[in-house]
mmCIF file of all heavy atoms in Angstrom:
data_model
loop_
_atom_site.group_PDB
_atom_site.id
_atom_site.type_symbol
_atom_site.label_atom_id
_atom_site.label_comp_id
_atom_site.label_asym_id
_atom_site.label_seq_id
_atom_site.Cartn_x
_atom_site.Cartn_y
_atom_site.Cartn_z
ATOM 1 N N THR H 157 66.100 105.597 93.370
ATOM 2 C CA THR H 157 64.989 105.969 94.253
ATOM 3 C C THR H 157 65.499 106.761 95.455
ATOM 4 O O THR H 157 64.893 107.761 95.849
ATOM 5 C CB THR H 157 64.244 104.714 94.730
ATOM 6 O OG1 THR H 157 63.732 104.008 93.587
ATOM 7 C CG2 THR H 157 63.085 105.077 95.643
ATOM 8 N N ASP H 158 66.615 106.326 96.025
ATOM 9 C CA ASP H 158 67.204 107.037 97.167
ATOM 10 C C ASP H 158 67.614 108.463 96.791
ATOM 11 O O ASP H 158 67.620 109.357 97.643
ATOM 12 C CB ASP H 158 68.422 106.277 97.693
ATOM 13 C CG ASP H 158 68.041 104.971 98.385
ATOM 14 O OD1 ASP H 158 66.855 104.813 98.746
ATOM 15 O OD2 ASP H 158 68.927 104.110 98.542
ATOM 16 N N ARG H 159 67.935 108.676 95.528
ATOM 17 C CA ARG H 159 68.319 110.003 95.049
ATOM 18 C C ARG H 159 67.123 110.824 94.585
ATOM 19 O O ARG H 159 67.285 111.954 94.112
ATOM 20 C CB ARG H 159 69.313 109.867 93.881
ATOM 21 C CG ARG H 159 70.669 109.328 94.301
ATOM 22 C CD ARG H 159 71.475 108.901 93.082
ATOM 23 N NE ARG H 159 71.707 109.994 92.141
ATOM 24 C CZ ARG H 159 72.775 110.790 92.127
ATOM 25 N NH1 ARG H 159 73.718 110.614 93.043
ATOM 26 N NH2 ARG H 159 72.914 111.731 91.216
ATOM 27 N N GLY H 160 65.926 110.241 94.687
ATOM 28 C CA GLY H 160 64.728 110.947 94.251
ATOM 29 C C GLY H 160 64.584 110.988 92.739
ATOM 30 O O GLY H 160 63.865 111.830 92.198
ATOM 31 N N GLU H 161 65.242 110.049 92.046
ATOM 32 C CA GLU H 161 65.205 109.999 90.585
ATOM 33 C C GLU H 161 64.222 108.938 90.123
ATOM 34 O O GLU H 161 64.174 107.844 90.687
ATOM 35 C CB GLU H 161 66.597 109.678 90.039
ATOM 36 C CG GLU H 161 66.739 109.847 88.539
ATOM 37 C CD GLU H 161 66.683 111.297 88.098
ATOM 38 O OE1 GLU H 161 65.549 111.780 87.868
ATOM 39 O OE2 GLU H 161 67.751 111.929 88.002
ATOM 40 N N LYS H 162 63.440 109.257 89.097
ATOM 41 C CA LYS H 162 62.438 108.326 88.603
ATOM 42 C C LYS H 162 62.474 108.279 87.078
ATOM 43 O O LYS H 162 62.428 109.315 86.420
ATOM 44 C CB LYS H 162 61.033 108.735 89.073
ATOM 45 C CG LYS H 162 59.924 107.826 88.572
ATOM 46 C CD LYS H 162 58.567 108.345 89.005
ATOM 47 C CE LYS H 162 57.459 107.500 88.416
ATOM 48 N NZ LYS H 162 57.483 107.521 86.923
ATOM 49 N N ILE H 163 62.547 107.073 86.540
ATOM 50 C CA ILE H 163 62.522 106.881 85.089
ATOM 51 C C ILE H 163 61.078 106.982 84.597
ATOM 52 O O ILE H 163 60.175 106.360 85.155
ATOM 53 C CB ILE H 163 63.109 105.507 84.723
ATOM 54 C CG1 ILE H 163 64.590 105.423 85.143
ATOM 55 C CG2 ILE H 163 62.973 105.233 83.228
ATOM 56 C CD1 ILE H 163 65.181 104.036 85.012
ATOM 57 N N ASP H 164 60.863 107.769 83.555
ATOM 58 C CA ASP H 164 59.529 107.888 82.959
ATOM 59 C C ASP H 164 59.336 106.907 81.813
ATOM 60 O O ASP H 164 58.274 106.284 81.684
ATOM 61 C CB ASP H 164 59.312 109.319 82.444
ATOM 62 C CG ASP H 164 59.342 110.334 83.569
ATOM 63 O OD1 ASP H 164 58.484 110.252 84.452
ATOM 64 O OD2 ASP H 164 60.245 111.200 83.562
ATOM 65 N N TYR H 165 60.354 106.783 80.949
ATOM 66 C CA TYR H 165 60.289 105.893 79.799
ATOM 67 C C TYR H 165 61.518 104.989 79.826
ATOM 68 O O TYR H 165 62.640 105.475 79.977
ATOM 69 C CB TYR H 165 60.296 106.669 78.478
ATOM 70 C CG TYR H 165 59.289 107.788 78.380
ATOM 71 C CD1 TYR H 165 59.707 109.093 78.103
ATOM 72 C CD2 TYR H 165 57.932 107.547 78.543
ATOM 73 C CE1 TYR H 165 58.793 110.128 78.001
ATOM 74 C CE2 TYR H 165 57.009 108.578 78.446
ATOM 75 C CZ TYR H 165 57.438 109.865 78.175
ATOM 76 O OH TYR H 165 56.527 110.885 78.080
ATOM 77 N N CYS H 166 61.304 103.681 79.651
ATOM 78 C CA CYS H 166 62.418 102.736 79.680
ATOM 79 C C CYS H 166 62.332 101.814 78.473
ATOM 80 O O CYS H 166 61.330 101.103 78.291
ATOM 81 C CB CYS H 166 62.376 101.910 80.968
ATOM 82 S SG CYS H 166 63.718 100.712 81.112
ATOM 83 N N LEU H 167 63.375 101.813 77.639
ATOM 84 C CA LEU H 167 63.450 100.925 76.481
ATOM 85 C C LEU H 167 64.507 99.871 76.756
ATOM 86 O O LEU H 167 65.685 100.182 76.897
ATOM 87 C CB LEU H 167 63.783 101.711 75.213
ATOM 88 C CG LEU H 167 63.485 100.981 73.895
ATOM 89 C CD1 LEU H 167 63.362 101.974 72.736
ATOM 90 C CD2 LEU H 167 64.543 99.943 73.557
ATOM 91 N N VAL H 168 64.068 98.617 76.854
ATOM 92 C CA VAL H 168 64.939 97.487 77.159
ATOM 93 C C VAL H 168 65.358 96.829 75.852
ATOM 94 O O VAL H 168 64.523 96.573 74.979
ATOM 95 C CB VAL H 168 64.218 96.461 78.061
ATOM 96 C CG1 VAL H 168 65.202 95.418 78.581
ATOM 97 C CG2 VAL H 168 63.504 97.158 79.221
ATOM 98 N N GLY H 169 66.639 96.526 75.717
ATOM 99 C CA GLY H 169 67.147 95.997 74.453
ATOM 100 C C GLY H 169 67.050 94.500 74.289
ATOM 101 O O GLY H 169 67.740 93.925 73.441
ATOM 102 N N GLU H 170 66.216 93.835 75.061
ATOM 103 C CA GLU H 170 66.085 92.380 74.947
ATOM 104 C C GLU H 170 65.611 91.987 73.544
ATOM 105 O O GLU H 170 64.826 92.702 72.929
ATOM 106 C CB GLU H 170 65.099 91.840 75.990
ATOM 107 C CG GLU H 170 65.591 91.923 77.418
ATOM 108 C CD GLU H 170 66.772 91.001 77.698
ATOM 109 O OE1 GLU H 170 67.030 90.083 76.896
ATOM 110 O OE2 GLU H 170 67.440 91.206 78.725
ATOM 111 N N PRO H 171 66.074 90.829 73.053
ATOM 112 C CA PRO H 171 65.685 90.375 71.717
ATOM 113 C C PRO H 171 64.207 89.985 71.673
ATOM 114 O O PRO H 171 63.836 88.859 71.992
ATOM 115 C CB PRO H 171 66.606 89.172 71.465
ATOM 116 C CG PRO H 171 66.991 88.705 72.839
ATOM 117 C CD PRO H 171 67.031 89.914 73.698
ATOM 118 N N SER H 172 63.374 90.910 71.239
ATOM 119 C CA SER H 172 61.921 90.724 71.266
ATOM 120 C C SER H 172 61.357 90.212 69.955
ATOM 121 O O SER H 172 60.239 89.684 69.919
ATOM 122 C CB SER H 172 61.250 92.067 71.595
ATOM 123 O OG SER H 172 61.538 93.028 70.580
ATOM 124 N N SER H 173 62.084 90.374 68.865
ATOM 125 C CA SER H 173 61.534 90.114 67.532
ATOM 126 C C SER H 173 61.466 88.618 67.227
ATOM 127 O O SER H 173 62.268 87.827 67.733
ATOM 128 C CB SER H 173 62.375 90.820 66.474
ATOM 129 O OG SER H 173 62.465 92.213 66.748
#
Side-chain angles (χ1 to χ4, degrees):
T157 300
D158 290 343
R159 291 166 59 93
E161 191 70 273
K162 179 184 176 299
I163 297 171
D164 297 298
Y165 309 123
C166 180
L167 197 160
V168 190
E170 291 293 344
S172 62
S173 304

